[in-house]
Amino acid sequence: MKKSLRSMWLVGSLLGSVLVAEPAVAQVSEDSQVQLAREYERKGEHEKAAFLFGRLRNDEQTAPNILPDYLAALQGLKQYKEAEKLVKRAIRQRPREAALPVTLGQLYAQAGDQPAAQKQWERVLGQLTAEQVAPVALEFQRLGLPDWAVRTYLRGRELAHSETEFGPQLIQLYTRQGQTDKLMAETLRLVQTDEQQLPFVRNMLQNSLQEDKDFAALEKELLSLVQKNPERPVYSELLLWLQVQRRDFTGALVQAKALDRRARTDGQRVLEVAEIARRNQDYESAIAGYEYLAREYRSSPYYALVRQRLVQTREDQVRTTYPVNTAQLRGLLQEYEQVLKDLGRTPETAPVLRSMAALLAFQLDEKEPAIKLLNEVITMPRASLDVVDQAKIDLADIYLLRAEPWEATLLYSQVEKSHKDTPLGYDAKLRNARLSYFAGDFKLAQSHLDILKQATSREIANDAMQLSLLITDNTAMDTAGVALRDYAAVEQQVFQNKIPEAMRGLDALLAKYPGHALQDEAWYLKAQLQRRTGDYAAALGTLERITANPKYDVLSDDALFLAASILEENLQDREKAQQLYNQVITKYPGSIYVVEARKRFRKLRGDAVN
């Protein structure tokens, strides 16, 4: 009895020396003991944790819910031999648990014995069964050993006698490792046998492909596969997606035509590509797509839309080719009239009436006939609320052209109320904010913009953010916003197409406020107006005032890209344009213009795009 009492006293004394803050720990339950040990391990107190875990029964120490924490404690104390014994005991107790031998190899690696670790992991792969592939690979991934996870899945592929087994898992691993060549090979192998994996493959490629050479390599391989396997639409689908990503809409149209013919989808795929090309301002490709659809699919349900889009895109092209050709605008009006004659004046052709009104009011300064057309849309029987309210926004814009802000804001507000929390309502609110900005009421404008910065439409949110920053930056020091009022007045003149007056206003502003924070904005706007009037040399000189001055760093990439565009599109100086696009890419890698600059640089350099 005395010996037993003495043993109990020794255990209690030892526990007290290790756990000074826990005098009653001997009385706690096993569950509480485990929780306490985990808490010590979480805090990094490995010695206390290891002591408590060591007091558990052998079978408890190796239990799946305890083993990881106990191992962590022993590893924290660098007691690798004890940890090795623990894991080997767990393996003997649970021989079917495939991840444990992987953990044993990791112990050897942490102890500094890399050859032993490699030998252990090779043994794991050599003894691998089909059922063990997934858990072993996941354990390698958990331990930060992606190369061994890849080898596990490849071994699993051998066991399954299938070249595509574990394809999605390998694609994800190659994506994380940046192994683009292997990723592309794996994705093509996967869609070859399972076309349902196409969305997953596209997503993985979109996350991984960054360099032009990678896009070009995949495109080359896909073109070869399309030619060799014309009966397999999946390759054409993937190639179409890739070409759209690269903004090669000419190539994308070729694939879209083939897919439409094969699937008999009435030109739907070509229409999708043409719409994307139009949004990306590749008007030539968009027009080519619409012309093809109008010619080949006259009985298609999309025919009326195609006819409208064709003329609208031609108008976009004319309006962005400086200086704007008035004769071409008159020709477009005749094309619109022909569309109305062929298709009728119906709710479906209301967008044509809206386009004609915008052309008349903003380009030809014929506001009264424009107002008449928009009122026709607004009062049109069976016209949808969206169509009517879009026409109201257009009409409000024309009232603003006529310097009738109260009429404009009334219509904008009507649309805001009828389309609350929708893109159309947000658009109306943005225009109301711009109207307040033009009037110099920056607080009211800012109250609108604060709401719009959270808009679901990225374009509206970005526009709101830009105008908000302009107001904030230029009223911080000058709370009255005197210079900003002058600049806003100039922007209103630009909106009203009063270009000579706007140019004079900018010159006056630059002379009146030398060194003001608005100066770069004023120079940039002036260069845009000079381009619109066809004075390209002056525009380049104005832009150089921004790019040559380090203090104008905010707009430097904008100015450089605009200068390159003028050289390429207006002056046809391909060599200088190429140089400037390259500067955008190298000097401003985070710029929003990098993707487009790279595309244009490659085109000017003569790289193959198909």
Side-chain angles (χ1 to χ4, degrees):
M1 174 67 78
K2 287 182 180 180
K3 185 175 181 180
S4 175
L5 287 172
R6 177 174 175 78
S7 298
M8 290 176 64
W9 179 85
L10 285 173
V11 170
S13 178
L14 177 60
L15 183 60
S17 66
V18 177
L19 305 175
V20 177
E22 304 290 340
V25 75
Q27 285 77 41
V28 297
S29 67
E30 286 185 351
D31 284 345
S32 298
Q33 184 171 312
V34 170
Q35 291 174 10
L36 184 59
R38 285 186 179 135
E39 181 64 18
Y40 280 130
E41 179 54 33
R42 187 185 67 81
K43 292 179 179 179
E45 299 183 44
H46 307 302
E47 187 174 2
K48 294 178 181 179
F51 177 80
L52 285 178
F53 282 129
R55 297 182 67 242
L56 299 172
R57 298 192 312 270
N58 284 350
D59 60 323
E60 290 178 318
Q61 292 173 355
T62 56
N65 63 327
I66 292 175
L67 179 63
D69 292 315
Y70 191 8
L71 267 181
L74 293 174
Q75 288 170 302
L77 296 171
K78 297 187 174 10
Q79 294 181 5
Y80 297 117
K81 286 296 181 184
E82 290 299 317
E84 180 184 355
K85 292 176 184 177
L86 182 65
V87 174
K88 285 183 174 179
R89 185 158 23 107
I91 291 173
R92 288 194 299 272
Q93 291 173 354
R94 301 196 300 279
R96 299 178 66 84
E97 191 167 319
L100 287 173
V102 178
T103 305
L104 181 60
Q106 178 69 353
L107 277 177
Y108 295 144
Q110 284 194 328
D113 192 348
Q114 199 63 37
Q118 299 283 331
K119 184 177 179 180
Q120 173 62 21
W121 290 329
E122 292 288 358
R123 186 181 299 115
V124 169
L125 294 188
Q127 298 173 353
L128 199 66
T129 65
E131 295 76 18
Q132 293 175 331
V133 173
V136 167
L138 289 173
E139 182 66 7
F140 276 127
Q141 287 180 252
R142 188 185 71 81
L143 295 173
L145 299 165
D147 290 338
W148 283 94
V150 167
R151 289 187 58 184
T152 303
Y153 284 127
L154 291 176
R155 174 59 184 151
R157 179 170 285 178
E158 293 173 1
L159 294 171
H161 305 290
S162 167
E163 288 188 352
T164 58
E165 192 74 11
F166 303 110
Q169 293 90 335
L170 285 165
I171 287 171
Q172 289 179 324
L173 283 166
Y174 292 146
T175 299
R176 291 172 193 158
Q177 292 177 282
Q179 296 184 355
T180 308
D181 292 345
K182 292 182 178 179
L183 168 69
M184 289 192 289
E186 198 63 48
T187 53
L188 295 177
R189 188 180 294 115
L190 182 61
V191 295
Q192 180 182 6
T193 56
D194 186 0
E195 296 187 4
Q196 299 300 315
Q197 295 286 351
L198 183 59
F200 167 75
V201 164
R202 285 193 299 229
N203 186 50
M204 290 295 101
L205 289 171
Q206 189 165 25
N207 291 337
S208 303
L209 300 184
Q210 302 293 335
E211 301 294 329
D212 279 340
K213 60 181 178 62
D214 298 330
F215 282 104
L218 179 58
E219 188 173 35
K220 182 179 179 181
E221 182 65 24
L222 284 171
L223 282 167
S224 175
L225 288 169
V226 167
Q227 291 168 358
K228 292 176 183 176
N229 305 275
E231 77 288 353
R232 298 293 303 276
V234 68
Y235 295 129
S236 293
E237 290 279 6
L238 192 53
L239 180 57
L240 170 60
W241 168 82
L242 179 64
Q243 288 168 329
V244 169
Q245 296 299 304
R246 302 188 74 188
R247 300 187 184 182
D248 173 16
F249 300 113
T250 302
L253 283 172
V254 173
Q255 301 308 318
K257 290 174 185 177
L259 288 167
D260 275 331
R261 285 193 297 268
R262 186 179 293 115
R264 299 181 179 178
T265 47
D266 293 323
Q268 181 183 351
R269 307 307 300 278
V270 174
L271 179 59
E272 290 170 356
V273 173
E275 296 280 73
I276 297 171
R278 183 185 181 217
R279 287 197 297 271
N280 283 272
Q281 300 180 354
D282 185 344
Y283 300 126
E284 291 291 344
S285 295
I287 288 169
Y290 295 133
E291 286 179 337
Y292 167 81
L293 292 168
R295 184 175 62 252
E296 301 292 331
Y297 293 95
R298 296 183 66 86
S299 59
S300 163
Y302 312 113
Y303 180 71
L305 175 63
V306 166
R307 287 288 305 279
Q308 296 175 48
R309 285 285 195 267
L310 178 55
V311 189
Q312 289 167 340
T313 308
R314 284 178 177 151
E315 182 187 344
D316 291 338
Q317 187 179 42
V318 170
R319 286 193 293 103
T320 53
T321 303
Y322 304 114
V324 175
N325 188 315
T326 304
Q328 288 181 320
L329 294 176
R330 294 287 178 192
L332 286 167
L333 277 177
Q334 293 178 1
E335 288 191 50
Y336 279 129
E337 289 287 3
Q338 187 62 48
V339 171
L340 291 173
K341 183 179 178 181
D342 294 344
L343 303 177
R345 301 168 93 93
T346 68
E348 286 71 31
T349 57
V352 174
L353 297 172
R354 289 182 54 227
S355 295
M356 291 176 67
L359 195 157
L360 285 164
F362 285 89
Q363 301 298 325
L364 299 172
D365 197 26
E366 297 180 17
K367 303 180 186 67
E368 293 308 318
I371 291 173
K372 183 178 178 182
L373 287 172
L374 291 173
N375 280 323
E376 181 181 345
V377 175
I378 292 169
T379 58
M380 185 177 286
R382 298 186 306 279
S384 72
L385 180 61
D386 280 0
V387 169
V388 169
D389 279 356
Q390 285 168 342
K392 284 184 177 180
I393 288 178
D394 297 338
L395 185 56
D397 287 346
I398 295 175
Y399 280 131
L400 191 52
L401 282 184
R402 296 192 346 176
E404 297 179 40
W406 289 110
E407 294 293 334
T409 194
L410 178 64
L411 287 169
Y412 290 144
S413 300
Q414 284 180 14
V415 178
E416 276 191 62
K417 290 179 182 177
S418 62
H419 280 80
K420 193 174 178 63
D421 297 328
T422 69
L424 191 58
Y426 287 136
D427 185 24
K429 183 179 282 293
L430 180 61
R431 291 169 193 259
N432 245 336
R434 184 186 59 193
L435 186 57
S436 300
Y437 164 72
F438 286 159
D441 191 344
F442 302 131
K443 286 186 178 180
L444 181 57
Q446 196 69 272
S447 67
H448 288 300
L449 296 170
D450 287 341
I451 297 171
L452 289 168
K453 284 187 285 187
Q454 308 301 321
T456 52
S457 166
R458 179 182 297 178
E459 184 177 353
I460 289 174
N462 287 344
D463 287 346
M465 182 69 73
Q466 287 181 7
L467 183 53
S468 176
L469 287 172
L470 179 67
I471 293 172
T472 302
D473 291 347
N474 291 283
T475 54
M477 302 296 292
D478 176 13
T479 54
V482 177
L484 186 59
R485 288 175 192 276
D486 289 349
Y487 184 76
V490 170
E491 286 208 287
Q492 182 171 3
Q493 289 173 331
V494 174
F495 178 80
Q496 294 171 330
N497 215 23
K498 298 177 180 178
I499 306 305
E501 294 90 333
M503 293 283 280
R504 289 194 292 271
L506 284 172
D507 288 338
L509 185 148
L510 288 164
K512 187 177 179 181
Y513 307 104
H516 194 279
L518 272 168
Q519 198 164 41
D520 56 340
E521 297 278 355
W523 287 126
Y524 188 69
L525 180 55
K526 184 174 181 178
Q528 291 176 304
L529 298 181
Q530 288 168 327
R531 185 192 191 192
R532 282 175 61 169
T533 57
D535 195 350
Y536 306 124
L540 291 174
T542 301
L543 291 169
E544 194 172 359
R545 289 177 175 270
I546 299 174
T547 57
N549 194 330
K551 76 175 184 177
Y552 296 144
D553 60 321
V554 174
L555 283 178
S556 291
D557 59 329
D558 304 74
L560 198 58
F561 184 82
L562 180 56
S565 301
I566 292 171
L567 287 164
E568 178 192 9
E569 298 168 10
N570 305 120
L571 297 176
Q572 283 77 50
D573 191 336
R574 297 168 59 88
E575 185 176 346
K576 284 188 179 178
Q578 185 179 336
Q579 291 172 5
L580 292 193
Y581 285 133
N582 191 46
Q583 286 183 38
V584 173
I585 297 165
T586 55
K587 290 179 67 175
Y588 306 102
S591 170
I592 59 172
Y593 299 105
V594 164
V595 173
E596 182 65 19
R598 185 176 287 117
K599 175 193 168 187
R600 295 189 181 199
F601 175 80
R602 291 181 64 251
K603 180 181 176 183
L604 291 172
R605 192 173 61 183
D607 292 5
V609 293
N610 292 320

